[in-house]
């Protein structure tokens, strides 16, 4: 019996395994149900009792030797880079899983592309802002309620009191301070407000600010640009309507509604049966804002607008709860996986 074990052991050692076929032959010969080792185990009952224990151990070691050799070669062969002979070009491709873009990123990119096509370039600014860029330069009176602790997250930064920006309008000021007209820019970014989190409100969200300043820019230019945007974003049938409104930094100001793309303006629960949905605020840049940033308001006029990306995404993808955007639930995110 001992001789047989030694024989099998030396055959295992010298067995050549160069490809997966030889590996399979090895497996059948030494580890399969009719293998040499199995046969030897079967013969164990003929061994005298006093030797059973030690021979049993040797047999076990033999099995381990075969298993280890098999595992080593299996790893090696399966990870071996394929050569042109071993590649089967007629085989169908294996599908692999792809990740998805966050819906906010998708819509942000789409908004940027739409405005890029008519000459707007992207500019960005910091999320931690000073009072000047977030409020004062935008013509907010010192006692304006939006500066109140309820809406704004204030933070201490050294001596200076700073705030998390409450809107991307702060970037308009930075652009105007650094550049003379013509200016045609959009500024996407994250903004913060001190709000209780619910399906309809969140303490952070995303906006895109737009700004166009040149000689003779009129309200008609603003309307046409926004109509172009609505049609590109929501389809050719989209219409817009403007309602008079108030913002400290624009005069006149308006809020813009787009015809409800969910019910084709017939009336549904999303548009509360009005056929219209509010998508942005806009207006002609107040001369005080131009002057505060060093632009001559007698020579130049301009328009500005600001929209919430979450809001546009909600309309485009019918997302009805703002919290979904930041919960990282893969069941939600997976729905935005591109199909190839
Ligand atoms: N900053 C405003 C907000 O956060 C949105 C806005 C309205 C931006 C009118 C503008 C504008 O540029 O002209 O609600």
């Amino acid at each position: 019996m001992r001789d047989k074990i030694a024989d099998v052991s030396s055959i295992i050692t010298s067995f050549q395994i160069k490809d997966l076929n030889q590996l399979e032959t090895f497996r059948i010969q030494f580890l399969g149900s009719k293998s040499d080792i199995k046969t030897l185990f079967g013969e164990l009952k003929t061994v005298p009792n006093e030797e059973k224990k030690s021979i049993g151990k040797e047999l076990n070691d033999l099995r381990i030797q075969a298993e280890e050799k098999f595992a080593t070669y299996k790893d090696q062969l399966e990870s071996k880079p394929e050569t042109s002979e071993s590649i089967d070009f007629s085989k169908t491709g294996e599908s692999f899983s792809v990740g998805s873009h966050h819906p906010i990123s998708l819509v942000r990119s789409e908004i940027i592309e739409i405005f890029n096509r008519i000459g707007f370039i992207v500019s960005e600014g910091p999320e931690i802002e000073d009072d000047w860029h977030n409020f004062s330069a935008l013509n907010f009176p010192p006692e304006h309620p939006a500066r109140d602790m309820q809406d704004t997250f204030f933070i201490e930064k050294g001596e200076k009191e700073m705030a998390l920006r409450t809107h991307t309008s702060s970037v308009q000021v930075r652009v105007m301070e650094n550049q003379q007209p013509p200016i045609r820019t959009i500024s996407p970014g994250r903004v913060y407000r001190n709000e209780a989190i619910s399906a309809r409100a969140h303490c952070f969200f995303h906006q895109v600010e737009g700004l166009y300043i040149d000689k003779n820019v009129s309200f008609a230019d603003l309307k046409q640009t926004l109509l172009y945007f609505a049609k590109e974003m929501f389809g050719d049938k989209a219409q817009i309507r403007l309602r008079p409104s108030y913002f400290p930094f624009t005069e006149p100001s308006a809020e813009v509604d787009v015809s409800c793309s969910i019910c084709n303006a017939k009336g549904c629960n999303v548009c509360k049966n009005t056929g219209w949905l509010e998508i942005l605020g806009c207006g002609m840049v107040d001369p005080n804002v131009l002057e505060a940033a060093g632009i001559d308001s007698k020579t130049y006029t301009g328009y500005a607008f600001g929209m919430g990306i979450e809001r546009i995404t909600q309309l485009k993808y019918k997302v009805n709860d703002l919290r979904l955007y930041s919960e990282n639930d893969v069941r939600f995110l997976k729905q935005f996986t591109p199909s190839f």
Side-chain angles (χ1 to χ4, degrees):
M1 187 75 168
R2 287 219 153 81
D3 290 345
K4 282 188 191 165
I5 292 175
D7 282 350
V8 175
S9 172
S10 69
I11 299 171
I12 291 175
T13 308
S14 56
F15 197 103
Q16 298 254 6
I17 304 176
K18 291 204 180 107
D19 56 29
L20 289 169
N21 282 339
Q22 287 171 343
L23 181 70
E24 182 59 5
T25 312
F26 179 89
R27 188 190 66 76
I28 293 166
Q29 189 168 336
F30 300 105
L31 299 167
S33 56
K34 293 190 184 124
S35 72
D36 296 352
I37 298 177
K38 273 260 156 65
T39 316
L40 288 175
F41 268 109
E43 287 173 17
L44 198 57
K45 55 180 177 296
T46 64
V47 169
N49 271 348
E50 60 277 16
E51 280 189 276
K52 265 204 176 102
K53 199 171 165 201
S54 68
I55 293 196
K57 185 179 174 310
E58 281 178 42
L59 265 177
N60 250 337
D61 289 345
L62 187 67
R63 201 196 59 223
I64 291 167
Q65 183 193 350
E67 280 171 354
E68 282 178 351
K69 179 158 181 165
F70 176 78
T72 310
Y73 279 85
K74 188 171 187 294
D75 270 5
Q76 259 177 33
L77 289 168
E78 287 180 351
S79 64
K80 194 169 132 190
E82 288 184 296
T83 60
S84 55
E85 292 98 68
S86 64
I87 297 173
D88 177 359
F89 289 105
S90 63
K91 237 168 116 182
T92 48
E94 278 171 28
S95 60
F96 54 91
S97 55
V98 288
S100 23
H101 285 290
H102 193 280
I104 295 294
S105 306
L106 289 176
V107 172
R108 184 188 51 205
S109 304
E110 201 175 339
I111 296 171
I112 292 172
E113 274 170 31
I114 292 172
F115 283 104
N116 273 173
R117 294 204 280 276
I118 53 169
F120 283 75
I121 55 161
V122 170
S123 47
E124 289 182 326
E127 291 181 17
I128 297 175
E129 265 299 7
D130 49 27
D131 178 274
W132 172 255
H133 292 95
N134 199 74
F135 296 125
S136 297
L138 287 163
N139 204 29
F140 276 82
E143 72 288 358
H144 195 282
R147 294 169 179 238
D148 200 293
M149 289 297 287
Q150 254 144 47
D151 296 311
T152 311
F153 288 115
F154 290 101
I155 46 179
E156 297 288 325
K157 202 178 173 199
E159 293 285 277
K160 221 172 162 187
E161 189 178 67
M162 302 287 278
L164 296 181
R165 67 178 176 197
T166 56
H167 54 182
T168 44
S169 302
S170 56
V171 188
Q172 308 186 3
V173 180
R174 290 188 173 272
V175 172
M176 287 191 281
E177 282 173 340
N178 290 305
Q179 203 182 316
Q180 279 300 306
I183 293 171
R184 201 181 287 174
T185 188
I186 48 165
S187 312
R190 184 174 281 190
V191 301
Y192 302 84
R193 297 214 187 149
N194 198 351
E195 303 250 11
I197 297 172
S198 70
R200 299 168 62 88
H202 213 292
C203 58
F204 72 84
F205 51 98
H206 301 79
Q207 290 186 332
V208 177
E209 186 78 11
L211 178 70
Y212 178 34
I213 300 173
D214 204 345
K215 288 179 181 148
N216 300 320
V217 176
S218 71
F219 205 91
D221 297 326
L222 171 61
K223 274 170 73 176
Q224 280 310 310
T225 306
L226 296 177
L227 181 61
Y228 156 79
F229 167 74
K231 287 183 183 293
E232 292 293 304
M233 193 62 166
F234 298 107
D236 216 32
K237 291 210 186 82
Q239 290 186 307
I240 56 167
R241 85 177 172 185
L242 281 77
R243 286 176 285 107
S245 185
Y246 171 77
F247 299 103
F249 33 93
T250 43
E251 182 60 37
S253 306
E255 276 168 325
V256 177
D257 299 338
V258 66
S259 51
C260 182
S261 55
I262 293 168
C263 62
N264 282 329
K266 290 196 180 68
C268 65
N269 59 352
V270 178
C271 63
K272 302 204 182 76
N273 285 319
T274 62
W276 296 99
L277 294 155
E278 185 188 323
I279 54 162
L280 57 87
C282 66
M284 300 305 291
V285 181
D286 192 300
N288 289 344
V289 174
L290 295 173
E291 295 292 341
I295 289 176
D296 179 6
S297 64
K298 301 242 164 19
T299 314
Y300 295 106
T301 53
Y303 64 68
F305 56 86
M307 63 182 95
I309 304 184
E310 277 78 356
R311 178 82 177 139
I312 310 272
T313 311
Q314 175 189 14
L315 301 180
K316 220 174 148 89
Y317 294 113
K318 307 188 175 78
V319 180
N320 56 10
D321 189 328
L322 277 176
R323 291 168 292 197
L324 285 167
Y325 294 123
S326 50
E327 278 170 352
N328 267 342
D329 185 332
V330 287
R331 290 168 302 180
F332 172 68
L333 297 172
K334 257 191 191 159
Q335 297 174 58
F336 302 92
T337 305
S339 51
F340 293 107

